[in-house]
Amino acid sequence: MPRVPKFAPAARVPTYAPEMVSVRSVVDRVGPTLLHAVLVPEQCPVVADVVIAEPGSAQVSAGDLVLGVGVTGLADAVELIRHCAGRGAAAVLFKPPLATRPALRRTAEKADIALISVRAATAWAQLVWLLRTVLDAVSEDDGGEGSDEPGSGDLFRLADAVASVVDAPVTIEDTNSRVLAYSARQDLTDPARVSTIMGRRIPDDVLARFRSRGVFRELSRGRQTIFVPAQRDGTLPRLIVPIRMGGELLGSMWAVVTGPVSGERAAAFADTSPVVALHLLRLRAHADAQRRASAELLRAVLAGKVGPRKAIAELELTEQAYRVVVVDTPGGPRVSAADAEGVRLAVLERISQGIGKRPVATELAGLLYAVVPDGKGPGSWAELRAALAQQPGVHRVAAGAPVEIGELAKSREQADEILDMLRAGLLPGQVGSFDDVWTALVLHRTAAAAAAVQVTELGPLGRLRAHDGDNRTEYLDTLYQWLRFPGDPRAAANALRIHPNTFRYRMRRLAELVPVNLDDPEVRLALLVQLVSLHWT
């Protein structure tokens, strides 16, 4: 007689989800901070409810996300998976090391049920709350009214609730000191708070003062609360609480207070952090999903696979001229992954300013590509060019010509060509745009075409190249500058950084080495084409 399953859900969490959502979608929405899909069947199951598995209970329904809260042994975990699969459950969730055991994966694969790993430091109660929030948000995400960021209104309401707990005005900020929400209460304020709310981030001068006091160092160390006394410039005291989930710093809450806060009130303020963390995770999951969708669509646009109508609608562009900009950020063995990612995020933030509601940017082969409006308005190429030239960590920036949206793939090809020329040192500086360097582009393309048919193998040029190689002379460069500056030996000498008399001597010596009629205009033109091919490829 088969053994009666030992585990099934004892507690069912009420969830309203009028639109079904898949297991994969739930994992993506919650994000990799908390969940990792160990195994998801090819026919991705849909989720209807969240339940908790405990010893002695006996009910699992189709579409359940089953949390293995009371399961500690491998045998019991295997049994739970088989039982849930038999009842049509969508997935079973375990913490390590159970979730990563090969035997458990094989059982889930054979039973055709999803197996999800939960980050070890995650509290089950918090996970239940977050999963419920995700499922409740399905109808809102699939056509409901309101903000483009589900939960953003809830975050402002939560800021009001936290303000009542700590009895002080509150801002909720991310790890880059950008304001995500703030309480309506304004009875206690100062210029720093006003500037922070108006600019939606802590101003640089205020940020520097807090940094000098070690605030952000204390945040990273995991302090429960941080008190910052009043400052000489009139900035009022602050009580700060880090927002963490699973050991990761997600942001912080800042309360403007009149002075030192009692231990009881500070503890109550800190106790609100886990709830705020769940909201931030939800916002992050939504933003990540939007960024992935925008990046994927933009890659298709830049490859010429998507028409202008879809690009305008889904990337929130308008019918005006745009440029494709490519940004070369640091890489290689000498640059840490964290530093490189920091530069990329800073560049993305700069690109995002003034361009629609979302960054119109994506990453391809280690390069950042962005679509920016032409002209001089907010987020335009003119503004972005000046900003990125001063952005630490940015190596080179290249922009294609302004085009209609249907020709963005062409602008991308132009930007790539200019970036290649900047990397090769064929253009001065670190920033270039297609319409500003047309002469260099003519020479570069001419050189590439000439090299393809081996024009440098013709005539006497080979002897000069051989002589320079054997004797470490510079007759090829001398002849090139003589052709560039006809009749002006002083300018040619300046280009070579030699004395004019040295230049004249080289030309006399060159005539002795290679008998060639430099008075013939066609000879000069042919030599110039050959030398351009050597210098611009």
Side-chain angles (χ1 to χ4, degrees):
M1 183 175 181
R3 181 182 176 189
V4 176
K6 183 179 179 182
F7 298 105
R12 178 170 294 274
V13 183
T15 303
Y16 172 66
E19 298 288 342
M20 291 298 186
V21 59
S22 70
V23 170
R24 177 69 67 183
S25 179
V26 169
V27 173
D28 288 342
R29 288 168 186 243
V30 174
T33 303
L34 295 184
L35 300 182
H36 167 66
V38 178
L39 174 71
V40 177
E42 186 173 345
Q43 294 296 326
C44 195
V46 295
V47 178
D49 206 347
V50 182
V51 298
I52 299 172
E54 292 180 346
S57 54
Q59 182 184 0
V60 172
S61 302
D64 283 348
L65 282 180
V66 182
L67 311 186
V69 176
V71 182
T72 57
L74 179 60
D76 290 336
V78 168
E79 182 180 0
L80 178 61
I81 287 178
R82 290 171 177 165
H83 175 67
C84 292
R87 297 297 186 93
V92 186
L93 288 72
F94 297 106
K95 288 187 177 182
L98 273 180
T100 55
R101 296 286 291 273
L104 215 59
R105 180 188 174 96
R106 288 194 297 269
T107 302
E109 188 172 11
K110 186 175 180 180
D112 200 32
I113 188 172
L115 176 62
I116 309 300
S117 175
V118 179
R119 186 164 179 163
T122 305
W124 286 109
Q126 292 175 343
L127 180 61
V128 168
W129 194 93
L130 181 58
L131 289 171
R132 178 182 179 183
T133 302
V134 167
L135 294 179
D136 285 345
V138 171
S139 58
E140 178 183 357
D141 292 350
D142 291 339
E145 296 180 358
S147 169
D148 284 341
E149 295 183 354
S152 58
D154 290 342
L155 200 59
F156 277 86
R157 289 190 289 272
L158 186 57
D160 287 335
V162 173
S164 65
V165 170
V166 72
D167 193 26
V170 168
T171 58
I172 300 175
E173 302 172 12
D174 66 10
T175 53
N176 292 316
S177 300
R178 290 175 297 198
V179 176
L180 302 175
Y182 52 88
S183 62
R185 177 176 173 177
Q186 304 291 342
D187 58 314
L188 187 62
T189 191
D190 56 19
R193 175 176 166 82
V194 172
S195 299
T196 297
I197 292 176
M198 293 295 292
R200 298 306 296 265
R201 72 184 309 275
I202 299 180
D204 291 340
D205 57 333
V206 178
L207 199 64
R209 290 197 292 272
F210 283 123
R211 184 173 285 114
S212 68
R213 288 177 170 266
V215 170
F216 297 98
R217 184 170 58 251
E218 294 298 325
L219 279 173
S220 64
R221 287 177 177 174
R223 286 277 300 276
Q224 188 175 24
T225 57
I226 302 165
F227 177 73
V228 182
Q231 302 180 42
R232 293 181 180 179
D233 64 350
T235 300
L236 295 173
R238 296 293 196 272
L239 184 65
I240 308 166
V241 170
I243 304 171
R244 294 182 176 276
M245 177 64 76
E248 180 185 359
L249 181 66
L250 303 176
S252 55
M253 292 186 291
W254 297 59
V256 181
V257 294
T258 56
V261 177
S262 68
E264 182 179 353
R265 190 148 60 99
F269 185 27
D271 286 344
T272 65
S273 174
V275 180
V276 178
L278 293 172
H279 278 72
L280 294 192
L281 282 172
R282 180 186 171 192
L283 287 174
R284 175 196 284 186
H286 180 78
D288 287 346
Q290 281 195 315
R291 278 194 293 270
R292 285 194 298 270
S294 293
E296 188 65 30
L297 177 59
L298 182 55
R299 283 193 285 269
V301 169
L302 297 182
K305 298 178 180 179
V306 172
R309 183 173 299 179
K310 184 174 182 179
I312 290 173
E314 298 192 25
L315 292 177
E316 301 177 6
L317 303 176
T318 58
E319 293 185 0
Q320 62 172 316
Y322 286 89
R323 295 175 185 264
V324 174
V325 177
V326 57
V327 182
D328 191 4
T329 53
R334 295 186 179 181
V335 180
S336 69
D339 289 343
E341 182 63 19
V343 172
R344 290 188 180 94
L345 290 175
V347 173
L348 276 173
E349 180 181 359
R350 180 73 70 174
I351 290 171
S352 304
Q353 293 175 356
I355 310 174
K357 298 180 181 179
R358 290 176 287 164
V360 188
T362 189
E363 188 172 352
L364 283 170
L367 299 173
L368 287 175
Y369 287 87
V371 175
V372 301
D374 194 35
K376 298 182 179 180
S380 66
W381 165 237
E383 182 183 86
L384 185 64
R385 178 176 188 160
L388 291 182
Q390 305 298 321
Q391 178 70 47
V394 172
H395 288 183
R396 304 167 192 89
V397 181
V403 297
E404 295 180 355
I405 292 177
E407 297 183 318
L408 286 174
K410 179 180 178 181
S411 185
R412 182 258 176 107
E413 291 175 358
Q414 295 168 348
D416 285 338
E417 182 180 9
I418 295 167
L419 180 62
D420 288 341
M421 294 173 67
L422 287 169
R423 285 174 162 178
L426 299 176
L427 294 174
Q430 301 298 315
V431 180
S433 63
F434 189 82
D435 40 354
D436 290 341
V437 296
W438 70 268
T439 54
L441 287 166
V442 168
L443 293 172
H444 182 252
R445 293 184 181 184
T446 300
V453 293
Q454 299 179 329
V455 296
T456 58
E457 305 299 323
L458 306 174
L461 203 66
R463 277 178 282 170
L464 273 184
R465 294 177 68 182
H467 187 278
D468 281 351
D470 294 339
N471 299 279
R472 297 183 180 179
T473 53
E474 299 178 2
Y475 288 118
L476 279 180
D477 288 340
T478 301
L479 179 58
Y480 181 53
Q481 299 303 334
W482 184 85
L483 292 166
R484 287 187 68 217
F485 301 97
D488 191 352
R490 188 173 298 276
N494 286 338
L496 293 168
R497 297 182 180 180
I498 60 176
H499 193 275
N501 289 340
T502 304
F503 177 78
R504 294 185 181 95
Y505 167 78
R506 286 187 183 178
M507 287 303 300
R508 289 195 301 270
R509 179 63 178 151
L510 186 150
E512 295 171 1
L513 291 170
V514 181
V516 61
N517 184 10
L518 293 178
D519 293 329
D520 186 334
E522 292 188 355
V523 170
R524 294 197 301 270
L525 185 58
L527 287 170
L528 185 58
V529 170
Q530 289 179 310
L531 291 168
V532 164
S533 179
L534 290 176
H535 280 78
W536 287 87
T537 55

